[in-house]
Amino acid sequence: MASDLLSQPAQQHHIVQFYQDEQCLADVVAQYLAAGLEREEPIVALATPSHCAAFSSRLKAHGIDADQASAEGRLLLLDARATLTSIMIGDLPDAVRFEELIGAALDRVGAGSCHARPRAYGEMVDLLWQDGNRAGAVRLEELWNDFGRKRSFSLLCAYDLGRFRKDSDAEKLLELCNTHSHVIPTESYSQVAESDGRLREVTQLQQRALALESEIEHRKQVEQALREALRQRDDFLAIAGHELKTPLTAVQLLVHSLGKLTAESGDPQIQTRVARAARGINRLSTLVDELLDVSRVSAGKLKLEVEEFDLGAVAGELIDGAADQLARAGCKATFTCDGPMVGRWDRSRVEQILVNLLSNAMKYGKGHPIELRIERAGATARISVRDHGIGISPADQQRIFDRFERAVSLQHFGGLGLGLWIVRQVVEAHGGTIRVESEPADGATFLVDLPIV
């Protein structure tokens, strides 16, 4: 029985108690400490301050005054976190520091004990596990075992089972259990007294384990199906993009030729219609390019052709070339640059970043001014595009950089929801970052930082 083991542990017993409820932990440790004090065994307990207070309170129910026991030198309560810090070197506990500190603590409480075997309780291992230092926790358990072969004492450790929720934790949990002489499961099982009840509990646990294994297998199958669906979608986008690109290029050439002919004819109505057709063809070409970029990124084929150029000069050329689009959107654009900004980037992809951000500003800030700025920010060249449009809520500011995502209704604003995602892929391929600063109805500022190489 767990209660017998806690009340009368044998020499060199190294017990681990798993728990789910803090109150149950306090009861178990108080039982362990009270039994030792009643047998006049000196005790060293390393716990968090809140747990120390809970243990002292529970000891009163056993008729034991923790403060008096501490004053008499029979009980030593130490801060587990402070003690842990003092024995660590890097990510691992140091054996020499550990034995010096724990040995001194055991000597201190054992000075007037008439050679009674001491008890120890520790939470340092649980703190290491809580910190994500699994290797440190296992190493500390080994140090306790090594020291137990040199000194006579019994030891109780405790772990919150909630820290072992991941499937990947199973191997480390088994390793931890193997460092102990006795393992006590959580209160939901260890408090089942009769053998029939325990067998029923084991049967339920086995059923839950089988159900979990079945669920894991089902989820693996679903994930495989989703991956296959995504692959097929990306294949379709690639095929569709390539099949559309060839005839679309031919139509663009025809419309361009038609534009030259209408310019010579002098008919303004025909010129307007041809210009409108050209804009529609260019918009369709942009959408096809976005689809092709999706397939390239998904296939890991987004390659950069790096060359040295002046980012400010390229941005200025794009602003001049976008004059007609800006006029149609009712946007007056201002451009500033802090002198030459020369670096090694993929020119066509950087142009794509600028075009997408400017198009985004014209779409959502229609009728309002746009500011484009190129400046140096440490070791990076910063592109800043500011509009004064509808703005973006904080809840949407991360999502808009995902594939096929948008912060507004498709009914009011067109597009595939790919522009900002493609910008992010291109920026990150250069080793840069992109973010947005915005509030609803107060415009948006997109900031791109590209390393100057």
Side-chain angles (χ1 to χ4, degrees):
M1 294 288 292
S3 59
D4 295 336
L5 184 62
L6 293 169
S7 297
Q8 300 182 40
Q11 179 178 336
Q12 294 183 349
H13 270 181
H14 186 179
I15 308 164
V16 59
Q17 169 73 61
F18 290 97
Y19 68 94
Q20 293 175 295
D21 180 78
E22 295 276 342
Q23 303 300 321
C24 289
L25 172 68
D27 290 336
V28 167
V29 176
Q31 176 190 344
Y32 174 77
L33 300 181
L37 291 170
E38 289 169 356
R39 295 166 62 89
E40 298 185 352
E41 296 174 351
I43 293 176
V44 175
L46 301 100
T48 62
S50 60
H51 282 174
C52 285
F55 301 158
S56 297
S57 176
R58 290 297 199 284
L59 284 172
K60 287 183 179 180
H62 292 270
I64 296 173
D65 186 330
D67 292 335
Q68 182 179 347
S70 297
E72 294 172 351
R74 299 186 296 129
L75 172 64
L76 179 60
L77 298 175
L78 298 176
D79 186 319
R81 176 64 71 181
T83 304
L84 179 62
T85 301
S86 67
I87 67 172
M88 297 294 290
I89 295 181
D91 291 333
L92 294 175
D94 178 69
V96 174
R97 292 184 180 184
F98 171 81
E99 292 192 7
E100 286 179 352
L101 194 149
I102 300 302
L106 292 175
D107 289 340
R108 180 177 168 185
V109 294
S113 65
C114 299
H115 306 292
R117 177 171 49 82
R119 296 186 181 205
Y121 167 74
E123 293 180 355
M124 293 190 295
V125 284
D126 188 43
L127 291 177
L128 285 170
W129 197 272
Q130 179 183 340
D131 295 341
N133 189 350
R134 276 58 168 158
V138 173
R139 177 57 181 154
L140 184 53
E141 295 287 15
E142 293 171 347
L143 291 182
W144 277 112
N145 286 334
D146 292 342
F147 195 50
R149 286 186 280 270
K150 301 176 183 179
R151 294 284 297 263
S152 175
F153 65 93
S154 57
L155 172 65
L156 172 65
C157 299
Y159 284 89
D160 182 352
L161 192 62
R163 308 198 200 286
F164 300 83
R165 294 183 180 277
K166 299 178 181 178
D167 184 58
S168 57
D169 292 332
E171 184 176 347
K172 279 295 182 183
L173 176 62
L174 178 60
E175 188 175 356
L176 280 176
C177 290
N178 289 338
T179 63
H180 295 83
S181 60
H182 296 79
V183 177
I184 303 177
T186 63
E187 57 274 8
S188 62
Y189 177 73
S190 60
Q191 291 178 355
V192 180
E194 72 281 1
S195 59
D196 181 66
R198 287 176 178 267
L199 291 175
R200 292 174 186 270
E201 182 74 14
V202 169
T203 301
Q204 288 181 331
L205 290 173
Q206 289 175 330
Q207 186 276 327
R208 291 171 190 164
L210 288 172
L212 181 59
E213 290 175 2
S214 177
E215 177 65 19
I216 290 173
E217 182 61 30
H218 173 68
R219 292 194 179 193
K220 287 180 179 179
Q221 293 174 0
V222 171
E223 288 179 8
Q224 180 61 34
L226 286 173
R227 283 194 293 269
E228 178 62 21
L230 289 173
R231 187 192 63 77
Q232 292 181 3
R233 182 200 64 186
D234 291 338
D235 288 348
F236 169 76
L237 292 178
I239 293 171
H242 285 293
E243 290 297 320
L244 289 171
K245 191 66 177 177
T246 301
L248 188 58
T249 301
V251 173
Q252 280 182 304
L253 292 173
L254 289 173
V255 171
H256 182 69
S257 299
L258 187 60
K260 289 183 177 180
L261 293 174
T262 56
E264 296 173 359
S265 70
D267 189 326
Q269 288 187 344
I270 295 177
Q271 290 175 359
T272 299
R273 291 176 181 175
V274 171
R276 188 178 300 163
R279 289 196 298 273
I281 292 295
N282 289 336
R283 175 58 182 156
L284 183 57
S285 178
T286 299
L287 293 176
V288 171
D289 287 338
E290 288 181 350
L291 291 177
L292 289 172
D293 278 338
V294 170
S295 64
R296 292 189 189 105
V297 172
S298 299
K301 296 180 179 179
L302 183 63
K303 296 181 180 180
L304 301 180
E305 301 294 335
V306 177
E307 61 179 297
E308 186 175 283
F309 63 91
D310 185 348
L311 177 58
V314 169
E317 292 172 5
L318 284 175
I319 282 287
D320 292 340
D324 290 342
Q325 290 177 273
L326 289 164
R328 286 194 298 272
C331 297
K332 181 180 179 181
T334 58
F335 170 59
T336 56
C337 180
D338 294 349
M341 197 67 64
V342 179
R344 292 182 58 80
W345 305 289
D346 185 316
R347 183 187 182 107
S348 65
R349 289 298 181 180
V350 170
E351 289 178 351
Q352 186 179 25
I353 292 172
L354 291 164
V355 168
N356 281 10
L357 291 181
L358 287 171
S359 299
N360 197 70
M362 285 185 272
K363 179 190 294 186
Y364 299 109
K366 190 173 184 179
H368 299 282
I370 296 172
E371 294 101 41
L372 169 61
R373 180 176 178 80
I374 306 295
E375 59 185 336
R376 182 180 290 271
T380 68
R382 176 168 293 170
I383 302 170
S384 170
V385 179
R386 163 78 171 157
D387 68 63
H388 297 268
I390 61 175
I392 306 167
S393 69
D396 294 324
Q397 290 179 14
Q398 292 297 322
R399 186 171 60 83
I400 58 172
F401 295 106
D402 292 337
R403 183 163 39 179
F404 300 114
E405 288 287 353
R406 56 182 64 248
V408 293
S409 170
L410 180 61
Q411 183 178 357
H412 299 97
F413 296 92
L416 298 175
L418 290 171
L420 290 176
W421 177 77
I422 291 173
V423 168
R424 180 168 69 90
Q425 301 303 314
V426 173
V427 169
E428 291 179 353
H430 281 87
T433 61
I434 181 171
R435 68 184 190 279
V436 63
E437 297 174 354
S438 179
E439 291 291 339
D442 193 31
T445 301
F446 286 86
L447 299 167
V448 172
D449 289 330
L450 297 175
I452 298 176
V453 181

